[in-house]
Amino acid sequence: MTTRIGILTAGSDCPGLNAAIRAIGKAAQNDSQTELIAFQDGFLGLIHDQSMQPALSGILTLGGTTLGTSREQPQRVSVKGQMQDLTDAAIATYRRHKLDVLICLGGVETQSTALHLSRNGLNVMTLPKGIDNDLVMTDTTIGYDTALSTATEAIDRLHSTAYSHHRIILVEILGRRCGWLTLGAGIAGGADVIILPEIPYDIERITAAIMERNEENKRFSIIAVSEGGISKDTVEFFERTKNVNHQVRKGAEAEQVDRQLNQIEGRMTGNTIFLANQLEKSTGLQTRITILGHLLRGGAPSATDRVLATDLGTACVRFLRQGHTGVMVGTQGGHIVPVPLDQVAGKYKIIAPDHPYIQSARQVGTNFGDEG
Ligand code: F6P
């Protein structure tokens, strides 16, 4: 009997997605009769029934996703500015294609959507992806290793110009809620200061660290700043504003303000520029900024990501044959394991303040803009 497997990539793209698509497709077709149906542009393809036959050959080394992607979720689709729940349309497509399973490659939001569809009666499995490495219940995610190398290379290159000109250079690295990429690249690239969303910074601490370097005749500094890096002052401001809003506003209005503030917190664009201006004033040193942005999502996957994607993709098919459904296929301590979606959905893998990486970085003199 033919197994009918639906597949899609959702959320942000990253290197290694094509390697995973190839692994799933080839493993499934090699071990039994399988029909692979790919949906284009994430869940939009499922909602609007836009399917295609995915290419499986010649894609192992390609960055991005050959299926296309989008951030839309069936339970919340913007139609002419109005949010609509199009879950029924997504389910109808699944049924029309007589799918046995839908495999979704995605990040935190995709896990939530997968759980939602699974609770609505579909067989869904997922793979963890994303350069942020912010999914829980998996040691790592597809794409993280490649982005880590790219960010590290950028820091390496910035070092030579920073020391030549005796400047402070801030390098902004993607990651709104979790700073894994900044932490990893900051350690690997030997950044002098690392700013993470998890550790609100104090401008005075950073200034002191830079001035101390200068006194030691180290006349340049590299600061790795997470996109979601946030100052203590800003955190306090948000807290105060939230309280004020709650005092003066009632019910739905207060909730809406809270939601907006949370959105701002998650999208602190311009923070690095603000920090750079502050530091130039407080240290009197020339300061420059490099925002790596979406460059970090580009390029061919690293060898490690290709291996990870191949391992996870083939394991996914194996677990499918064993009857697993409603799971994310992750890695834990070197083992590939199926994790129930409700243990993953909507959760971010926040870096603990005493994480071994942070401890090691502190031990080699890295400053986190805090009192630690
Ligand atoms: O979730 C991955 C990520 O690259 C984050 O690091 C970044 O904050 C966000 O996506 C950017 O999203 P977009 O591509 O929608 O601008």
Side-chain angles (χ1 to χ4, degrees):
M1 216 177 79
T2 305
T3 312
R4 298 178 64 78
I5 299 180
I7 184 167
L8 58 81
T9 52
S12 53
D13 74 323
C14 67
L17 285 171
N18 291 318
I21 295 164
R22 169 183 177 270
I24 293 166
K26 290 202 171 192
Q29 288 174 350
N30 278 342
D31 79 356
S32 75
Q33 212 179 330
T34 300
E35 177 112 26
L36 201 62
I37 301 118
F39 295 98
Q40 295 173 31
D41 302 341
F43 290 103
L44 280 181
L46 191 68
I47 293 165
H48 300 300
D49 197 354
Q50 286 162 342
S51 62
M52 64 194 263
Q53 283 303 306
L56 299 180
S57 295
I59 63 168
L60 173 66
T61 62
L62 294 184
T65 164
T66 47
L67 307 185
T69 188
S70 70
R71 289 196 182 277
E72 263 71 18
Q73 300 175 286
Q75 63 276 32
R76 264 193 306 275
V77 184
S78 169
V79 182
K80 293 185 185 154
Q82 296 290 316
M83 281 301 171
Q84 291 190 9
D85 184 345
L86 299 181
T87 305
D88 287 348
I91 294 174
T93 304
Y94 179 101
R95 304 265 182 243
R96 200 174 303 119
H97 286 274
K98 299 186 169 48
L99 297 181
D100 294 298
V101 68
L102 175 70
I103 302 178
C104 307
L105 282 54
V108 177
E109 286 172 6
T110 301
Q111 309 303 326
S112 301
T113 303
L115 177 63
H116 171 72
L117 293 176
S118 153
R119 284 182 173 155
N120 276 276
L122 309 191
N123 292 331
V124 188
M125 296 177 83
T126 67
L127 257 54
K129 69 95 212 158
I131 63 163
D132 294 352
N133 189 28
D134 55 0
L135 271 78
V136 297
M137 305 298 280
T138 186
D139 296 337
T140 188
T141 51
I142 297 167
Y144 173 67
D145 181 75
T146 309
L148 183 58
S149 298
T150 310
T152 303
E153 190 191 338
I155 296 178
D156 289 349
R157 287 176 184 270
L158 289 169
H159 256 103
S160 57
T161 179
Y163 86 68
S164 305
H165 285 268
H166 319 300
R167 284 172 170 162
I168 301 172
I169 295 194
L170 291 92
V171 50
E172 186 186 283
I173 295 172
L174 285 179
R176 283 179 199 155
R177 293 175 195 272
C178 302
W180 293 103
L181 192 54
T182 308
L183 179 59
I187 293 173
D192 307 297
V193 180
I194 298 179
I195 302 298
L196 305 175
E198 289 90 342
I199 305 181
Y201 66 83
D202 179 342
I203 184 77
E204 284 172 20
R205 302 266 176 193
I206 305 176
T207 305
I210 291 170
M211 296 322 281
E212 202 177 301
R213 280 177 58 75
N214 257 44
E215 276 156 31
E216 291 165 3
N217 211 25
K218 295 172 182 162
R219 298 170 60 206
F220 73 96
S221 294
I222 299 282
I223 307 184
V225 189
S226 216
E227 189 189 12
I230 193 161
S231 70
K232 280 189 168 163
D233 288 350
T234 309
V235 171
E236 279 161 21
F237 168 77
F238 280 144
E239 289 308 320
R240 273 202 314 277
T241 322
K242 274 183 186 173
N243 291 339
V244 170
N245 280 321
H246 268 302
Q247 279 157 20
V248 297
R249 297 165 204 263
K250 295 267 177 303
E253 201 185 351
E255 275 173 30
Q256 197 193 346
V257 171
D258 268 1
R259 257 202 312 279
Q260 279 169 355
L261 286 171
N262 281 331
Q263 259 174 15
I264 297 167
E265 273 180 57
R267 288 179 170 265
M268 281 295 294
T269 50
N271 184 50
T272 308
I273 299 170
F274 180 67
L275 175 58
N277 286 333
Q278 276 186 311
L279 281 175
E280 192 158 66
K281 280 198 196 97
S282 64
T283 62
L285 298 170
Q286 278 189 5
T287 304
R288 295 290 185 268
I289 308 162
T290 299
I291 297 179
L292 296 179
H294 292 75
L295 183 83
L296 294 167
R297 295 226 300 255
S302 65
T304 299
D305 268 332
R306 293 178 204 183
V307 173
L308 175 69
T310 305
D311 263 0
L312 291 176
T314 51
C316 180
V317 173
R318 219 164 39 243
F319 290 138
L320 171 67
R321 303 293 188 217
Q322 290 167 5
H324 289 278
T325 181
V327 292
M328 177 187 84
V329 181
T331 75
Q332 290 176 7
H335 299 285
I336 299 189
V337 290
V339 185
L341 283 171
D342 60 3
Q343 292 182 22
V344 187
K347 296 179 185 150
Y348 287 90
K349 186 168 67 186
I350 304 293
I351 306 173
D354 58 349
H355 189 278
Y357 285 1
I358 293 190
Q359 290 184 28
S360 311
R362 288 197 200 278
Q363 280 178 279
V364 294
T366 311
N367 184 283
F368 284 87
D370 63 348
E371 60 283 351

